[in-house]
């Protein structure tokens, strides 16, 4: 059962390139699973039911939409799936007991080894280290096409924050940039907002007080993912932008003060915004983790925390943990602070990176930023589509984008 070809052309109804993987060497049927070996000595096991479920023939997968048509629950043979398996012209060929036949491309199977992480060009989040400095991408490179966009997207998804430099001082430029990737995410404050001050302010909207570190709109079931803030003018004295990596803070707490970490992870609290027109509330923990324990989200906004509905002992323990988080946020190892210049835009993951603003003196000049939000799915999608093209030039499996952009 030796493989013969490096690039077997089996249509797997999959747009991401998969044909450049190693060739199949052998397959060994077991009791419930098939063991597959490649020429590079990688070995993987796939359950027979999994293989039946992932058949990519036009009966099982729609050839145009690429969506699954096969319904295991309607197949009497599914629970006893056990095929004859051979390697024919480098392709894994399976003949099932009911006569159905499935063919699997060697590279496609290799990408889907159960122990392999899906490598689709989207980087994992990496916590800021002590010497973290944000990546800068020029506005011209972003507008020029794929390389600049890939660098900007990769840095944003990996670091949770990225800067765009040397853009035009034009109203609504933030909208034009956002719409390169997807529609603006609207909230009860609208889709696009102004952060503006004037000399000698005559209205509370133009106040110049500092804003403590926070995430926006944690009172929503799904707070905005990415915030984009485009600086049109920043002539006033003060007014630095402050950022802290909430994931790094939570991760540090997990190791340094585990009880406090667990308290913030396991205690849902109430967040709420109310005005004449809206009352948007949700109950959620400050730190949210996924099924593997990886930090998924931080909700932290002291002025829209609602009533703390906890018995006294739990309330006090929660306040202690909350204070520890708050103190950690102020430690330089988790922070970057800088002043945005006109024509510069910062984009950050609002469910990870907390933001704030230093106080400034509005009598020394104008400060005008325009901002909006964007769903992270649009950004990941954009990067995956870019990775399709990048990986066709690669010799084997696609490269990870995390290595493409150094932190400058
Ligand atoms: Fe904010």
């Amino acid at each position: 059962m030796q493989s013969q070809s490096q690039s077997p052309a089996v249509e797997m109804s999959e747009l991401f390139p998969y044909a450049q993987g190693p060739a199949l060497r052998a397959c060994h049927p077991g009791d419930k699973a098939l063991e597959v070996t490649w020429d590079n000595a990688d070995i993987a096991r796939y359950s027979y039911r999994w293989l039946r479920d992932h058949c990519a023939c036009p009966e099982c997968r729609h050839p145009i939409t690429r969506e699954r048509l096969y319904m295991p629950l309607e197949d009497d043979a599914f629970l006893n799936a056990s095929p004859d398996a051979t390697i024919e012209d480098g392709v894994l060929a399976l003949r099932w007991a009911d006569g159905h036949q499935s063919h699997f491309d060697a590279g496609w199977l290799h990408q889907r080894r159960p122990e392999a992480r899906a490598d689709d060009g989207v980087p994992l989040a990496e916590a800021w280290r002590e010497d973290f400095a944000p990546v800068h991408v020029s506005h011209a490179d972003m507008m020029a096409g794929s390389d600049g966009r890939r660098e900007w997207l990769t840095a944003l998804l990996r670091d949770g924050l990225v800067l765009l430099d040397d853009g035009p001082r034009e109203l609504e430029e933030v909208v034009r940039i956002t719409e390169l990737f997807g529609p603006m995410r609207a909230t009860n404050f609208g889709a696009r907002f102004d952060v503006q001050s004037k000399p000698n302010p005559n209205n509370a909207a133009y106040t110049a007080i500092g804003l403590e570190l926070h995430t926006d709109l944690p009172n929503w079931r799904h707070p905005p993912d990415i915030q984009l803030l485009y600086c049109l003018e920043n002539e006033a004295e003060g007014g630095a932008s402050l950022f802290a990596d909430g994931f790094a803070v939570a991760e540090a707490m997990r190791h340094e003060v585990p009880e406090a970490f667990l308290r913030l992870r396991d205690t849902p609290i109430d967040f709420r915004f109310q005005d004449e027109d809206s009352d948007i509330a949700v109950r959620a923990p400050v730190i949210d983790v996924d099924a593997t324990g990886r930090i998924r989200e931080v909700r932290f906004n002291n002025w829209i925390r609602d009533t703390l509905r906890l018995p006294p002992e739990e309330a006090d323990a929660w306040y202690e943990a909350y204070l520890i988080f708050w103190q950690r946020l102020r430690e330089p190892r988790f922070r970057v602070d800088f002043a945005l210049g006109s024509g510069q835009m910062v984009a950050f993951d609002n469910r990870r990176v907390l933001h704030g603003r230093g106080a400034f003196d509005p009598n020394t000049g104008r400060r005008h930023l325009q901002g909006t939000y964007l769903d992270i799915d649009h950004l990941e999608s954009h990067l995956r589509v870019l990775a399709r093209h990048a990986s066709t030039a690669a010799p084997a499996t696609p490269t990870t984008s995390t290595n493409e952009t150094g932190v400058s």
Side-chain angles (χ1 to χ4, degrees), residues 37 40-41 89 127 129 206 227 235 258 262 294 323 325 351-352 358 378 386 393:
T37 311
N40 67 352
D89 295 331
R129 298 196 194 94
Y206 303 134
Q227 180 166 176
E235 313 303 331
L262 294 175
R294 203 175 165 86
L323 282 174
F325 192 97
R351 297 169 76 184
R352 165 183 175 182
H378 294 301
L386 288 175

Side-chain angles (χ1 to χ4, degrees), residues 36 50 59 79 91 139 153 176 214-215 268 277 290 299 320 384 405 408:
V36 174
W50 186 94
E59 264 178 57
L79 292 179
V91 172
H139 183 274
L153 288 164
R176 285 185 280 277
H214 62 282
T215 60
D277 301 319
D290 68 15
R299 292 176 191 256
E320 281 168 30
R384 286 193 192 102
T405 315
S408 61

